[in-house]
Each structure stands twice: as structure tokens, then as C-alpha cells.
Amino acid sequence: MSDTQVTRPSLFYIECLRFIAVIAVVGIHVLGPYRELIPSLAWHQWLPAVSLNAMSRWAVPIFMMISGALLLSDRRPFDCGYYLSRRLAKVLLPFIAWTVIYAVVAGFHDGRWSWTITESLLAHANNQHTWYHLWFFYDFIPLYFVIPLLAPLLHKMDHQRVLLLLAAWLLLTLMHWLKVETPLRQNIILYSGYLVVGWYLFNHEQKPYLRFWLMTGLATLGFNVLGSVYYIWQQGEYSSVFMGYKSLNTVVIAMSLFVLVKAYAEKVPNGWRPMIKTVSKYSFGIYLVHPLFLIPVRHLDYGIYQWFGHSSIALPVLMAIVLLLALGLSWLFTRSVFTRWLVP
């Protein structure tokens, strides 16, 4: 290891990262329908939605970086049985259960429930998620088989070789964004990079470079927002060309945010900490259940977005409401031994 490695700091910043990441995920899903509505909306209506979307794409990468930071830093002897039954199963079993739950929910249409719809979704669930947010698990669960192989390699690699590995991954994310054809543009490779960079930033001090990370993060975030707004303005329809989870711009924003939150989390006032810790504790549950509360919201015939008069009001208000409802439902699930495993 490099001599810049430090002892494990307070993990409150990890809780802060989970807190802001789950809020960002809720925001992305709240604004979802605006993507299709762009051609029929005035620019000042879709601008807040597009801007929020462009500013929030680091959310899923942050969750992956947290997993890499914590799991790859574990130096205890590897126990395959424990890892599969306690680590992997903690994610896999809820995923399977919620896949079935959302397939059943999707079967409700026009006031009636159709077994045919549910059956079709379940029949294709091996390759296609039954609800939009469950895509995450199709890429995240395979990473649990990468982590035990990566950990011993990283622990033995010297600092310069790790930096070379990260540089190669950053180059690959740029190639992916530019659509350069290469057999290395595989999800498991691109997402595994988030594990490594999360581990690296967790274990290596970046305080001397905070100004660099701040300026780089802000510049890339501005590039995302301005680029997305300009491109959508020109095309007249939604485009995610600047918002890919596996693209260099998103990687840089996620890295910058990780470093900055790590550096400044301890400055958070004590009065805010219980709220942050609570949302962080239930963040996985919030991720899993919050789309249930968005079903009526995203049903455009109900006109819920229009109740607020403008998207700049609708989005933050609906985000807060959905977040609180999802937090409450997650908490209720944890009250019973029969349901707590659904929101670990």
C-alpha cells in the first residue's frame, strides 16, 4: 500500500453518501415522465426536470462505490459460506421477492388484475426487470462474485499499479461514452471499476487535492447540465447522451462527490445527523419500495404533476413526499421478523 493510506475514518460520511444518493434516486424516478413529455412542454417546464436529471446521475455509481469501499477493505479471512449466505443473500433474496411483488403489481390494469401480464413478466424476469428500478440488481449482483477476487489482488498491488488500473478504467469509460468499439465495454467491467475507485478513495487520503476535486466536479456537473439542456433543446426530445452511468463525466462527478463528502461530512451539524443516519439506515428499503408510491404520480391521466402549477415546485415536493412515505413503509417492514428481510 501507499504511504498515503490512512486508518479507517469515521463512517458518518458513508451514511451521508447513502443519504444523498437515495434522495437523488427518488428524484430521478419522480421526474421520469418529463422525459417523454419534453416535446409537448414549454422549455421552462422541462428545464428543471432535465437539470435535476443531469445533476443526479452519480446516485447509482455512489452506491457501487460504497460497496467497493466497505467490502474490498475487509481483510478478514474469506469464508465462502458466510459470504454467500450473509452478503450475497442479503441482496439476492429481496431482489427475487420484489421481482415477484412488482410483477403482481404490474398485473393491475384499468382496475383489474391480469395473471397473464404477471406471468409474462415473471417468465422474462431472467433477462428483463419487472419494474424500472430493478435493473440495478442485474448489474449489481454479479459484482458480488467479483469482489472476493478483486480484494486479495488490491491488497497486494502497490500504489502505482492501482493508479494504472484506475487510469485504464477511466480511459475505458471515455471510450464507452464515445462509443469506441472494444470487447472490454462490458457492464461487469465498467461497473467493477466503481468498486475499485470506491476502495481507493476510502483508503487513500485526498485532502491535499480537495480544490482539484471541487473544481473538477463542478466543471463536469456543469458540463452535464449545460450539455444535456443544449442537446435536448436542439433535438426537441429527451436524450441521455450526457448522463450515462458508465461514462467518464458521471464517473468524475461521483469520484468528486465521494471525496468532498468524505472531507466535509464531519462538519454537518449534530442536529441534522439523526435524520441523515435514519434515511441512510433504510436507504436500501427506500430504493426498493419508493416506486410503489410513484404509481399514481407517474400515471399522467391523474394530472398530479399539474396540481403544483410548475415542475420547479412539483419535483421537490413530490420527492419529499415519496421519500417520507418510502421511509415509513421501510420502517414498518423492519418491525416484523416476517418482512424485515425484504428491506435489509
Side-chain angles (χ1 to χ4, degrees):
M1 286 293 178
S2 164
D3 57 6
T4 58
Q5 184 175 353
V6 295
T7 56
R8 177 172 292 193
S10 165
L11 294 186
F12 175 63
Y13 80 90
I14 295 292
E15 294 176 304
C16 288
L17 286 168
R18 286 200 191 101
F19 172 77
I20 60 175
V22 77
I23 291 175
V25 165
V26 172
I28 290 171
H29 294 155
V30 167
L31 65 83
Y34 281 94
R35 299 167 187 161
E36 286 71 41
L37 292 173
I38 285 174
S40 62
L41 291 177
W43 68 268
H44 58 84
Q45 286 282 4
W46 61 254
L47 181 61
V50 168
S51 300
L52 177 60
N53 200 15
M55 289 190 291
S56 305
R57 306 302 286 188
W58 44 264
V60 166
I62 284 291
F63 282 125
M64 292 181 176
M65 290 171 69
I66 291 172
S67 295
L70 299 179
L71 296 179
L72 289 176
S73 297
D74 189 348
R75 289 181 171 270
R76 290 175 295 182
F78 181 71
D79 183 329
C80 186
Y82 174 85
Y83 185 80
L84 293 176
S85 63
R86 298 296 297 276
R87 298 292 191 188
L88 177 60
K90 189 176 180 180
V91 176
L92 180 60
L93 294 181
F95 162 66
I96 294 173
W98 284 102
T99 291
V100 175
I101 291 170
Y102 279 106
V104 172
V105 171
F108 286 93
H109 187 67
D110 292 333
R112 301 176 61 186
W113 183 74
S114 168
W115 163 247
T116 303
I117 296 175
T118 297
E119 181 184 35
S120 176
L121 287 171
L122 291 176
H124 295 89
N126 57 323
N127 289 310
Q128 181 65 40
H129 44 271
T130 58
W131 210 261
Y132 53 85
H133 69 311
L134 296 178
W135 75 266
F136 171 71
F137 293 91
Y138 289 80
D139 288 310
F140 185 61
I141 289 174
L143 298 182
Y144 273 82
F145 295 94
V146 174
I147 288 169
L149 305 178
L150 271 178
L153 296 176
L154 292 173
H155 295 165
K156 293 182 179 181
M157 290 174 68
D158 63 72
H159 186 236
Q160 295 301 314
R161 294 180 193 275
V162 173
L163 290 179
L164 178 62
L165 178 63
L166 290 175
W169 173 63
L170 291 173
L171 176 61
L172 183 60
T173 63
L174 176 61
M175 294 169 65
H176 178 76
W177 187 54
L178 298 176
K179 293 182 170 53
V180 177
E181 290 300 328
T182 168
L184 297 177
R185 282 178 58 192
Q186 303 298 319
N187 283 1
I188 195 166
I189 296 175
L190 290 162
Y191 283 132
S192 291
Y194 281 117
L195 300 176
V196 179
V197 77
W199 167 85
Y200 181 84
L201 295 176
F202 181 80
N203 289 286
H204 292 81
E205 189 57 69
Q206 297 294 310
K207 284 186 178 179
Y209 314 111
L210 290 182
R211 182 181 294 274
F212 165 80
W213 285 112
L214 176 61
M215 299 306 295
T216 303
L218 288 175
T220 313
L221 193 64
F223 172 76
N224 259 24
V225 174
L226 295 176
S228 297
V229 169
Y230 177 78
Y231 194 82
I232 290 171
W233 178 277
Q234 292 294 313
Q235 298 295 313
E237 60 183 10
Y238 176 75
S239 171
S240 61
V241 66
F242 291 91
M243 306 182 201
Y245 290 126
K246 298 164 287 186
S247 301
L248 181 62
N249 47 334
T250 302
V251 169
V252 172
I253 295 170
M255 292 172 66
S256 301
L257 191 62
F258 192 102
V259 169
L260 295 170
V261 172
K262 179 181 178 181
Y264 296 111
E266 292 304 321
K267 297 183 182 296
V268 172
N270 289 333
W272 294 6
R273 294 190 178 213
M275 175 189 65
I276 293 172
K277 289 176 178 287
T278 299
V279 173
S280 172
K281 178 181 178 180
Y282 295 104
S283 58
F284 190 29
I286 292 170
Y287 184 94
L288 286 166
V289 308
H290 78 273
L292 292 173
F293 299 104
L294 284 172
I295 293 172
V297 175
R298 291 169 62 111
H299 197 301
L300 297 179
D301 290 342
Y302 295 161
I304 294 178
Y305 291 102
Q306 287 72 31
W307 291 356
F308 300 92
H310 199 276
S311 60
S312 60
I313 301 173
L315 293 176
V317 173
L318 289 171
M319 284 172 60
I321 293 172
V322 171
L323 181 69
L324 289 174
L325 291 173
L327 175 62
L329 182 57
S330 298
W331 178 83
L332 284 175
F333 274 131
T334 63
R335 298 303 94 189
S336 170
V337 68
F338 299 106
T339 56
R340 67 180 53 160
W341 63 276
L342 289 169
V343 288

mmCIF file of all heavy atoms in Angstrom, residues 148-181:
data_model
loop_
_atom_site.group_PDB
_atom_site.id
_atom_site.type_symbol
_atom_site.label_atom_id
_atom_site.label_comp_id
_atom_site.label_asym_id
_atom_site.label_seq_id
_atom_site.Cartn_x
_atom_site.Cartn_y
_atom_site.Cartn_z
ATOM 1 N N PRO A 148 -14.750 -10.875 -4.127
ATOM 2 C CA PRO A 148 -13.776 -11.777 -3.480
ATOM 3 C C PRO A 148 -12.520 -12.012 -4.310
ATOM 4 O O PRO A 148 -11.474 -12.392 -3.762
ATOM 5 C CB PRO A 148 -14.562 -13.082 -3.317
ATOM 6 C CG PRO A 148 -15.992 -12.691 -3.401
ATOM 7 C CD PRO A 148 -16.037 -11.544 -4.351
ATOM 8 N N LEU A 149 -12.603 -11.804 -5.629
ATOM 9 C CA LEU A 149 -11.433 -11.975 -6.492
ATOM 10 C C LEU A 149 -10.594 -10.705 -6.531
ATOM 11 O O LEU A 149 -9.360 -10.760 -6.617
ATOM 12 C CB LEU A 149 -11.883 -12.349 -7.912
ATOM 13 C CG LEU A 149 -12.796 -13.580 -8.014
ATOM 14 C CD1 LEU A 149 -13.209 -13.805 -9.460
ATOM 15 C CD2 LEU A 149 -12.092 -14.810 -7.451
ATOM 16 N N LEU A 150 -11.259 -9.566 -6.480
ATOM 17 C CA LEU A 150 -10.545 -8.286 -6.514
ATOM 18 C C LEU A 150 -9.802 -8.002 -5.216
ATOM 19 O O LEU A 150 -8.687 -7.475 -5.237
ATOM 20 C CB LEU A 150 -11.528 -7.147 -6.782
ATOM 21 C CG LEU A 150 -11.824 -6.757 -8.224
ATOM 22 C CD1 LEU A 150 -12.860 -5.640 -8.250
ATOM 23 C CD2 LEU A 150 -10.542 -6.310 -8.933
ATOM 24 N N ALA A 151 -10.429 -8.323 -4.092
ATOM 25 C CA ALA A 151 -9.890 -7.914 -2.790
ATOM 26 C C ALA A 151 -8.444 -8.350 -2.566
ATOM 27 O O ALA A 151 -7.586 -7.512 -2.258
ATOM 28 C CB ALA A 151 -10.801 -8.418 -1.673
ATOM 29 N N PRO A 152 -8.105 -9.641 -2.719
ATOM 30 C CA PRO A 152 -6.708 -10.033 -2.468
ATOM 31 C C PRO A 152 -5.722 -9.405 -3.454
ATOM 32 O O PRO A 152 -4.577 -9.129 -3.094
ATOM 33 C CB PRO A 152 -6.733 -11.561 -2.601
ATOM 34 C CG PRO A 152 -7.955 -11.859 -3.403
ATOM 35 C CD PRO A 152 -8.942 -10.797 -3.061
ATOM 36 N N LEU A 153 -6.171 -9.151 -4.680
ATOM 37 C CA LEU A 153 -5.290 -8.505 -5.654
ATOM 38 C C LEU A 153 -4.984 -7.075 -5.256
ATOM 39 O O LEU A 153 -3.816 -6.637 -5.276
ATOM 40 C CB LEU A 153 -5.940 -8.537 -7.042
ATOM 41 C CG LEU A 153 -6.164 -9.921 -7.667
ATOM 42 C CD1 LEU A 153 -6.911 -9.773 -8.994
ATOM 43 C CD2 LEU A 153 -4.824 -10.622 -7.891
ATOM 44 N N LEU A 154 -6.008 -6.343 -4.870
ATOM 45 C CA LEU A 154 -5.814 -4.949 -4.493
ATOM 46 C C LEU A 154 -4.953 -4.827 -3.235
ATOM 47 O O LEU A 154 -4.145 -3.900 -3.111
ATOM 48 C CB LEU A 154 -7.161 -4.264 -4.278
ATOM 49 C CG LEU A 154 -8.019 -4.076 -5.530
ATOM 50 C CD1 LEU A 154 -9.394 -3.555 -5.154
ATOM 51 C CD2 LEU A 154 -7.345 -3.114 -6.507
ATOM 52 N N HIS A 155 -5.132 -5.738 -2.299
ATOM 53 C CA HIS A 155 -4.372 -5.677 -1.058
ATOM 54 C C HIS A 155 -2.879 -5.907 -1.291
ATOM 55 O O HIS A 155 -2.046 -5.454 -0.502
ATOM 56 C CB HIS A 155 -4.897 -6.704 -0.059
ATOM 57 C CG HIS A 155 -6.298 -6.425 0.382
ATOM 58 N ND1 HIS A 155 -7.090 -7.361 1.027
ATOM 59 C CD2 HIS A 155 -7.074 -5.308 0.277
ATOM 60 C CE1 HIS A 155 -8.273 -6.826 1.296
ATOM 61 N NE2 HIS A 155 -8.292 -5.596 0.839
ATOM 62 N N LYS A 156 -2.548 -6.605 -2.391
ATOM 63 C CA LYS A 156 -1.144 -6.903 -2.667
ATOM 64 C C LYS A 156 -0.520 -5.980 -3.714
ATOM 65 O O LYS A 156 0.702 -5.935 -3.850
ATOM 66 C CB LYS A 156 -1.005 -8.363 -3.127
ATOM 67 C CG LYS A 156 -1.321 -9.375 -2.023
ATOM 68 C CD LYS A 156 -1.126 -10.805 -2.497
ATOM 69 C CE LYS A 156 -1.424 -11.782 -1.373
ATOM 70 N NZ LYS A 156 -1.223 -13.200 -1.807
ATOM 71 N N MET A 157 -1.340 -5.282 -4.461
ATOM 72 C CA MET A 157 -0.810 -4.397 -5.505
ATOM 73 C C MET A 157 -0.205 -3.144 -4.892
ATOM 74 O O MET A 157 -0.756 -2.594 -3.933
ATOM 75 C CB MET A 157 -1.915 -4.014 -6.494
ATOM 76 C CG MET A 157 -2.380 -5.146 -7.374
ATOM 77 S SD MET A 157 -3.803 -4.690 -8.421
ATOM 78 C CE MET A 157 -3.048 -3.505 -9.524
ATOM 79 N N ASP A 158 0.904 -2.683 -5.450
ATOM 80 C CA ASP A 158 1.474 -1.423 -4.975
ATOM 81 C C ASP A 158 0.672 -0.254 -5.532
ATOM 82 O O ASP A 158 -0.128 -0.398 -6.464
ATOM 83 C CB ASP A 158 2.956 -1.308 -5.357
ATOM 84 C CG ASP A 158 3.167 -1.289 -6.864
ATOM 85 O OD1 ASP A 158 2.826 -0.270 -7.482
ATOM 86 O OD2 ASP A 158 3.659 -2.293 -7.409
ATOM 87 N N HIS A 159 0.902 0.896 -4.947
ATOM 88 C CA HIS A 159 0.098 2.084 -5.237
ATOM 89 C C HIS A 159 0.129 2.456 -6.712
ATOM 90 O O HIS A 159 -0.908 2.795 -7.301
ATOM 91 C CB HIS A 159 0.610 3.245 -4.381
ATOM 92 C CG HIS A 159 -0.213 4.479 -4.487
ATOM 93 N ND1 HIS A 159 0.305 5.701 -4.859
ATOM 94 C CD2 HIS A 159 -1.534 4.695 -4.281
ATOM 95 C CE1 HIS A 159 -0.657 6.608 -4.864
ATOM 96 N NE2 HIS A 159 -1.780 6.034 -4.517
ATOM 97 N N GLN A 160 1.273 2.393 -7.332
ATOM 98 C CA GLN A 160 1.397 2.804 -8.728
ATOM 99 C C GLN A 160 0.627 1.877 -9.670
ATOM 100 O O GLN A 160 0.042 2.337 -10.662
ATOM 101 C CB GLN A 160 2.883 2.844 -9.131
ATOM 102 C CG GLN A 160 3.696 3.901 -8.389
ATOM 103 C CD GLN A 160 3.138 5.298 -8.618
ATOM 104 O OE1 GLN A 160 2.824 5.671 -9.754
ATOM 105 N NE2 GLN A 160 3.006 6.080 -7.551
ATOM 106 N N ARG A 161 0.593 0.604 -9.362
ATOM 107 C CA ARG A 161 -0.157 -0.323 -10.202
ATOM 108 C C ARG A 161 -1.669 -0.098 -10.056
ATOM 109 O O ARG A 161 -2.420 -0.229 -11.028
ATOM 110 C CB ARG A 161 0.194 -1.779 -9.843
ATOM 111 C CG ARG A 161 1.633 -2.151 -10.176
ATOM 112 C CD ARG A 161 1.923 -3.589 -9.792
ATOM 113 N NE ARG A 161 3.341 -3.856 -9.830
ATOM 114 C CZ ARG A 161 4.024 -4.199 -10.919
ATOM 115 N NH1 ARG A 161 3.380 -4.325 -12.079
ATOM 116 N NH2 ARG A 161 5.320 -4.425 -10.869
ATOM 117 N N VAL A 162 -2.095 0.232 -8.853
ATOM 118 C CA VAL A 162 -3.516 0.547 -8.663
ATOM 119 C C VAL A 162 -3.889 1.787 -9.464
ATOM 120 O O VAL A 162 -4.942 1.839 -10.108
ATOM 121 C CB VAL A 162 -3.826 0.760 -7.165
ATOM 122 C CG1 VAL A 162 -5.269 1.252 -6.986
ATOM 123 C CG2 VAL A 162 -3.609 -0.530 -6.384
ATOM 124 N N LEU A 163 -3.020 2.796 -9.438
ATOM 125 C CA LEU A 163 -3.274 4.007 -10.214
ATOM 126 C C LEU A 163 -3.344 3.704 -11.705
ATOM 127 O O LEU A 163 -4.179 4.275 -12.421
ATOM 128 C CB LEU A 163 -2.188 5.050 -9.940
ATOM 129 C CG LEU A 163 -2.195 5.699 -8.555
ATOM 130 C CD1 LEU A 163 -1.049 6.692 -8.429
ATOM 131 C CD2 LEU A 163 -3.531 6.396 -8.303
ATOM 132 N N LEU A 164 -2.489 2.806 -12.170
ATOM 133 C CA LEU A 164 -2.522 2.416 -13.580
ATOM 134 C C LEU A 164 -3.844 1.715 -13.904
ATOM 135 O O LEU A 164 -4.445 1.964 -14.958
ATOM 136 C CB LEU A 164 -1.340 1.493 -13.901
ATOM 137 C CG LEU A 164 -1.280 0.976 -15.349
ATOM 138 C CD1 LEU A 164 -1.128 2.142 -16.336
ATOM 139 C CD2 LEU A 164 -0.126 -0.018 -15.516
ATOM 140 N N LEU A 165 -4.291 0.856 -13.002
ATOM 141 C CA LEU A 165 -5.560 0.163 -13.197
ATOM 142 C C LEU A 165 -6.716 1.158 -13.285
ATOM 143 O O LEU A 165 -7.578 1.054 -14.162
ATOM 144 C CB LEU A 165 -5.793 -0.814 -12.042
ATOM 145 C CG LEU A 165 -7.110 -1.599 -12.056
ATOM 146 C CD1 LEU A 165 -7.188 -2.504 -13.281
ATOM 147 C CD2 LEU A 165 -7.247 -2.424 -10.774
ATOM 148 N N LEU A 166 -6.708 2.157 -12.397
ATOM 149 C CA LEU A 166 -7.756 3.168 -12.415
ATOM 150 C C LEU A 166 -7.691 4.024 -13.678
ATOM 151 O O LEU A 166 -8.716 4.387 -14.248
ATOM 152 C CB LEU A 166 -7.657 4.057 -11.170
ATOM 153 C CG LEU A 166 -8.040 3.378 -9.848
ATOM 154 C CD1 LEU A 166 -7.790 4.327 -8.682
ATOM 155 C CD2 LEU A 166 -9.499 2.939 -9.873
ATOM 156 N N ALA A 167 -6.481 4.330 -14.104
ATOM 157 C CA ALA A 167 -6.327 5.122 -15.336
ATOM 158 C C ALA A 167 -6.872 4.360 -16.539
ATOM 159 O O ALA A 167 -7.537 4.946 -17.411
ATOM 160 C CB ALA A 167 -4.860 5.472 -15.553
ATOM 161 N N ALA A 168 -6.624 3.050 -16.575
ATOM 162 C CA ALA A 168 -7.143 2.230 -17.674
ATOM 163 C C ALA A 168 -8.666 2.204 -17.650
ATOM 164 O O ALA A 168 -9.324 2.282 -18.701
ATOM 165 C CB ALA A 168 -6.584 0.815 -17.574
ATOM 166 N N TRP A 169 -9.226 2.124 -16.452
ATOM 167 C CA TRP A 169 -10.688 2.111 -16.331
ATOM 168 C C TRP A 169 -11.285 3.456 -16.750
ATOM 169 O O TRP A 169 -12.289 3.499 -17.460
ATOM 170 C CB TRP A 169 -11.079 1.784 -14.893
ATOM 171 C CG TRP A 169 -12.551 1.904 -14.637
ATOM 172 C CD1 TRP A 169 -13.553 1.178 -15.207
ATOM 173 C CD2 TRP A 169 -13.189 2.831 -13.747
ATOM 174 N NE1 TRP A 169 -14.776 1.587 -14.722
ATOM 175 C CE2 TRP A 169 -14.587 2.598 -13.825
ATOM 176 C CE3 TRP A 169 -12.717 3.814 -12.887
ATOM 177 C CZ2 TRP A 169 -15.499 3.323 -13.071
ATOM 178 C CZ3 TRP A 169 -13.630 4.536 -12.129
ATOM 179 C CH2 TRP A 169 -15.002 4.292 -12.230
ATOM 180 N N LEU A 170 -10.661 4.550 -16.359
ATOM 181 C CA LEU A 170 -11.151 5.874 -16.757
ATOM 182 C C LEU A 170 -11.111 6.034 -18.277
ATOM 183 O O LEU A 170 -12.024 6.595 -18.885
ATOM 184 C CB LEU A 170 -10.328 6.973 -16.083
ATOM 185 C CG LEU A 170 -10.519 7.104 -14.569
ATOM 186 C CD1 LEU A 170 -9.516 8.103 -13.993
ATOM 187 C CD2 LEU A 170 -11.938 7.539 -14.234
ATOM 188 N N LEU A 171 -10.054 5.529 -18.883
ATOM 189 C CA LEU A 171 -9.961 5.565 -20.341
ATOM 190 C C LEU A 171 -11.077 4.742 -20.968
ATOM 191 O O LEU A 171 -11.693 5.163 -21.960
ATOM 192 C CB LEU A 171 -8.598 5.041 -20.791
ATOM 193 C CG LEU A 171 -8.382 4.935 -22.309
ATOM 194 C CD1 LEU A 171 -8.514 6.315 -22.965
ATOM 195 C CD2 LEU A 171 -7.019 4.316 -22.615
ATOM 196 N N LEU A 172 -11.373 3.593 -20.374
ATOM 197 C CA LEU A 172 -12.438 2.737 -20.896
ATOM 198 C C LEU A 172 -13.797 3.432 -20.787
ATOM 199 O O LEU A 172 -14.622 3.326 -21.700
ATOM 200 C CB LEU A 172 -12.457 1.409 -20.143
ATOM 201 C CG LEU A 172 -13.481 0.377 -20.614
ATOM 202 C CD1 LEU A 172 -13.248 -0.001 -22.067
ATOM 203 C CD2 LEU A 172 -13.428 -0.869 -19.724
ATOM 204 N N THR A 173 -14.031 4.158 -19.691
ATOM 205 C CA THR A 173 -15.308 4.873 -19.563
ATOM 206 C C THR A 173 -15.418 5.984 -20.602
ATOM 207 O O THR A 173 -16.511 6.279 -21.087
ATOM 208 C CB THR A 173 -15.477 5.471 -18.150
ATOM 209 O OG1 THR A 173 -14.460 6.437 -17.888
ATOM 210 C CG2 THR A 173 -15.432 4.382 -17.092
ATOM 211 N N LEU A 174 -14.297 6.604 -20.958
ATOM 212 C CA LEU A 174 -14.309 7.605 -22.021
ATOM 213 C C LEU A 174 -14.615 6.940 -23.360
ATOM 214 O O LEU A 174 -15.417 7.459 -24.160
ATOM 215 C CB LEU A 174 -12.966 8.327 -22.080
ATOM 216 C CG LEU A 174 -12.798 9.342 -23.221
ATOM 217 C CD1 LEU A 174 -13.838 10.457 -23.106
ATOM 218 C CD2 LEU A 174 -11.381 9.918 -23.232
ATOM 219 N N MET A 175 -13.998 5.799 -23.608
ATOM 220 C CA MET A 175 -14.261 5.065 -24.840
ATOM 221 C C MET A 175 -15.721 4.637 -24.922
ATOM 222 O O MET A 175 -16.337 4.678 -25.993
ATOM 223 C CB MET A 175 -13.339 3.838 -24.921
ATOM 224 C CG MET A 175 -11.858 4.188 -25.053
ATOM 225 S SD MET A 175 -10.783 2.734 -24.826
ATOM 226 C CE MET A 175 -11.267 1.746 -26.248
ATOM 227 N N HIS A 176 -16.266 4.251 -23.791
ATOM 228 C CA HIS A 176 -17.673 3.858 -23.770
ATOM 229 C C HIS A 176 -18.560 5.045 -24.120
ATOM 230 O O HIS A 176 -19.512 4.910 -24.897
ATOM 231 C CB HIS A 176 -18.038 3.311 -22.386
ATOM 232 C CG HIS A 176 -19.481 2.931 -22.244
ATOM 233 N ND1 HIS A 176 -20.006 1.775 -22.779
ATOM 234 C CD2 HIS A 176 -20.522 3.576 -21.655
ATOM 235 C CE1 HIS A 176 -21.291 1.714 -22.522
ATOM 236 N NE2 HIS A 176 -21.639 2.796 -21.842
ATOM 237 N N TRP A 177 -18.261 6.198 -23.547
ATOM 238 C CA TRP A 177 -19.066 7.389 -23.823
ATOM 239 C C TRP A 177 -18.983 7.790 -25.298
ATOM 240 O O TRP A 177 -19.963 8.192 -25.906
ATOM 241 C CB TRP A 177 -18.606 8.537 -22.930
ATOM 242 C CG TRP A 177 -19.482 9.752 -23.029
ATOM 243 C CD1 TRP A 177 -20.828 9.816 -22.851
ATOM 244 C CD2 TRP A 177 -19.063 11.078 -23.359
ATOM 245 N NE1 TRP A 177 -21.290 11.102 -23.026
ATOM 246 C CE2 TRP A 177 -20.220 11.896 -23.342
ATOM 247 C CE3 TRP A 177 -17.833 11.660 -23.645
ATOM 248 C CZ2 TRP A 177 -20.173 13.266 -23.622
ATOM 249 C CZ3 TRP A 177 -17.790 13.024 -23.906
ATOM 250 C CH2 TRP A 177 -18.952 13.806 -23.898
ATOM 251 N N LEU A 178 -17.790 7.634 -25.874
ATOM 252 C CA LEU A 178 -17.579 7.978 -27.282
ATOM 253 C C LEU A 178 -17.987 6.845 -28.224
ATOM 254 O O LEU A 178 -17.848 6.974 -29.437
ATOM 255 C CB LEU A 178 -16.110 8.339 -27.518
ATOM 256 C CG LEU A 178 -15.593 9.564 -26.747
ATOM 257 C CD1 LEU A 178 -14.104 9.756 -27.001
ATOM 258 C CD2 LEU A 178 -16.372 10.820 -27.138
ATOM 259 N N LYS A 179 -18.438 5.726 -27.632
ATOM 260 C CA LYS A 179 -18.893 4.554 -28.393
ATOM 261 C C LYS A 179 -17.779 3.957 -29.259
ATOM 262 O O LYS A 179 -18.014 3.535 -30.398
ATOM 263 C CB LYS A 179 -20.115 4.901 -29.245
ATOM 264 C CG LYS A 179 -21.359 5.228 -28.417
ATOM 265 C CD LYS A 179 -22.562 5.520 -29.296
ATOM 266 C CE LYS A 179 -23.843 5.610 -28.485
ATOM 267 N NZ LYS A 179 -23.790 6.539 -27.346
ATOM 268 N N VAL A 180 -16.573 3.927 -28.716
ATOM 269 C CA VAL A 180 -15.451 3.263 -29.377
ATOM 270 C C VAL A 180 -15.629 1.758 -29.194
ATOM 271 O O VAL A 180 -15.743 1.269 -28.064
ATOM 272 C CB VAL A 180 -14.109 3.720 -28.778
ATOM 273 C CG1 VAL A 180 -12.953 2.960 -29.426
ATOM 274 C CG2 VAL A 180 -13.931 5.223 -28.943
ATOM 275 N N GLU A 181 -15.659 1.027 -30.270
ATOM 276 C CA GLU A 181 -15.917 -0.411 -30.176
ATOM 277 C C GLU A 181 -14.718 -1.140 -29.576
ATOM 278 O O GLU A 181 -13.586 -1.007 -30.033
ATOM 279 C CB GLU A 181 -16.217 -0.978 -31.570
ATOM 280 C CG GLU A 181 -17.556 -0.525 -32.141
ATOM 281 C CD GLU A 181 -18.727 -0.929 -31.271
ATOM 282 O OE1 GLU A 181 -18.643 -1.994 -30.621
ATOM 283 O OE2 GLU A 181 -19.723 -0.182 -31.228
#
